Amino acid sequence: MQRASSNGGLIMMHAENGLAIDVLVEQALQRGETDPRYHGEVRKALLEAEATHRVIKLAQVAGAPVYVVHVSAQEAVAELARARDEGLPVFGETCPQYLFLSTDNLAEPDFEGAKYVCSTPLRPKEHQAALWRGLRTNDLQVVSTDHCPFCFVGQKELGRGDFSKIPNGLPGVENRMDLLHQAVLDGHISRRRWIEIACATPARMFGLYGKKGTIAPGADADVVIYDPHAEQVMSAQTHHMNVDYSAYEGKRVTGRVETVMSRGELVIEGREFVGRAGHGAYLARGTSQYLG
C-alpha cells in the first residue's frame, strides 16, 4: 500500500478475515456440517465487514487508494459508504451472483449447492437491497463477474463430504450485461447507470478510459448493438462458456446482444461469432482516472 501511494497504483483487495474463517471451517467439519450451505455459514458477513474496515484503515494510514472486490454483505457496503462519506479514495465492486442469487442456492439439495460456492459467499436475499442501493448511490462503482468456471463434474464434485474442498468460483462473464439490463427493466438501476457500472467506470478505474469505455473521437471503435426487447432463457445448453452448468439455469431475461464491433471490425453479427484469431491487440494501461 505504501508503494502504491508513492507510484500511483490502485490496490485491489479481497476483504475477508481468513484466519477466523479457517477456525470456523474446522469447527463446522468437526460437527459433521459438510454440505455446501455451510460454506456460506462459516464465511460470516461480519468477517467481511471487519476485513473491509481493516483494509480501509490500513490504506488510510498508507495514503493509498483501495478497491474492494466482490462485495457481498450489507455490512461491508456500510463500511465503504462510511469511508466515502469521509472523503477517502475507497471504491467497491459487486458481482451479478450477489445481486441475483442467495444462500437459497447454496442450500439446494443433492450437492447442487456446490455449483454456487464462491468467495465472498452468497448471502441471504436481504443483503441484495443494500447492494442495489450502493450501486445507485455510487458507494459501489462497478459490477464485475469474478468469472471462475469450474465444472460441476470432476471439479466441484471434489468437495463431496467436505465443503472446504469445493473449488471456489462461478461462471458468469457471458451473463453479466444481460442480467444488468434485466435490472434496468426491474427498476433497480437506470439505463445510464447500467453503462456506467459495466463499461465506463471500469475503464476509468483501470487506466483504459479514452481508448475504452466511451464512444468518442480517438477511442477504439468498440460498439455493441443491443436489442432491449429480445427475450432469452439462460441455460448451459445454449451458453458459450466452457463449463457444464449455468448458475442462472432457466432464468428468463429480456435483452440480448445483436452485434459487436471491436476496433471497427465485426466480432459478432446477428448473434453469431464472426471474429478472427489475431485481432486482439495489447493495450497498456495507465493509472486510475477515477480517484478524483
Side-chain angles (χ1 to χ4, degrees):
M1 287 182 173
Q2 291 173 335
R3 181 61 61 88
S5 175
S6 64
N7 68 14
L10 175 64
I11 293 293
M12 297 179 68
M13 180 62 65
H14 174 112
E16 286 187 282
N17 189 322
L19 293 174
I21 288 169
D22 286 346
V23 172
L24 296 178
V25 168
E26 183 178 353
Q27 291 172 344
L29 293 175
Q30 287 174 350
R31 292 192 298 266
E33 298 169 348
T34 61
D35 291 342
R37 70 185 181 92
Y38 294 106
H39 169 81
E41 293 188 15
V42 299
R43 304 184 86 95
K44 296 185 180 296
L46 287 178
L47 294 179
E48 182 184 344
E50 183 274 333
T52 302
H53 177 84
R54 182 157 34 100
V55 70
I56 289 168
K57 293 307 177 186
L58 290 171
Q60 187 175 6
V61 169
V66 64
Y67 176 94
V68 182
V69 298
H70 31 75
V71 175
S72 65
Q74 59 188 359
E75 294 90 344
V77 177
E79 294 291 345
L80 294 170
R82 187 178 300 113
R84 292 180 58 77
D85 288 346
E86 294 174 5
L88 297 176
V90 172
F91 310 95
E93 65 155 50
T94 190
C95 305
Q97 60 264 33
Y98 306 123
L99 298 167
F100 291 94
L101 303 174
S102 73
T103 49
D104 291 348
N105 299 100
L106 270 176
E108 289 181 9
D110 301 324
F111 199 65
E112 288 291 301
K115 294 177 178 179
Y116 306 97
V117 167
C118 60
S119 295
T120 55
L122 300 182
R123 303 293 183 192
K125 287 181 180 178
E126 53 263 32
H127 288 258
Q128 293 174 355
L131 298 175
W132 287 120
R133 185 168 57 251
L135 288 169
R136 290 192 297 270
T137 61
N138 204 41
D139 289 318
L140 296 172
Q141 290 75 35
V142 172
V143 176
S144 186
T145 67
D146 202 24
H147 177 72
C148 197
F150 289 110
C151 285
F152 182 73
V153 176
Q155 293 186 303
K156 290 284 189 177
E157 288 180 329
L158 295 172
R160 285 189 184 275
D162 183 345
F163 70 84
S164 70
K165 292 184 169 60
I166 300 170
N168 277 218
L170 273 68
V173 67
E174 185 173 340
N175 306 126
R176 179 182 67 130
M177 292 298 286
D178 295 335
L179 288 167
L180 289 177
H181 182 262
Q182 186 61 47
V184 173
L185 300 181
D186 292 344
H188 291 299
I189 53 175
S190 67
R191 196 172 300 275
R192 181 182 183 88
R193 187 63 176 158
W194 171 45
I195 300 304
E196 288 175 347
I197 62 181
C199 306
T201 299
R204 288 191 180 96
M205 191 74 70
F206 299 107
L208 292 169
Y209 196 77
K211 283 293 187 180
K212 306 294 184 184
T214 184
I215 300 174
D220 287 346
D222 298 339
V223 179
V224 174
I225 299 174
Y226 197 84
D227 183 348
H229 304 296
E231 296 183 353
Q232 60 169 307
V233 178
M234 294 180 174
S235 174
Q237 301 302 313
T238 53
H239 71 205
H240 300 82
M241 298 178 288
N242 187 19
V243 62
D244 63 0
Y245 76 96
S246 171
Y248 306 98
E249 187 69 40
K251 183 173 179 62
R252 294 182 176 273
V253 296
T254 300
R256 195 167 191 172
V257 170
E258 284 288 335
T259 302
V260 176
M261 299 182 72
S262 170
R263 305 199 320 277
E265 288 191 25
L266 283 167
V267 177
I268 295 175
E269 186 175 17
R271 301 180 185 169
E272 296 295 328
F273 178 71
V274 296
R276 59 178 176 83
H279 171 72
Y282 175 75
L283 184 61
R285 300 193 314 194
T287 54
S288 176
Q289 300 164 40
Y290 202 78
L291 302 183

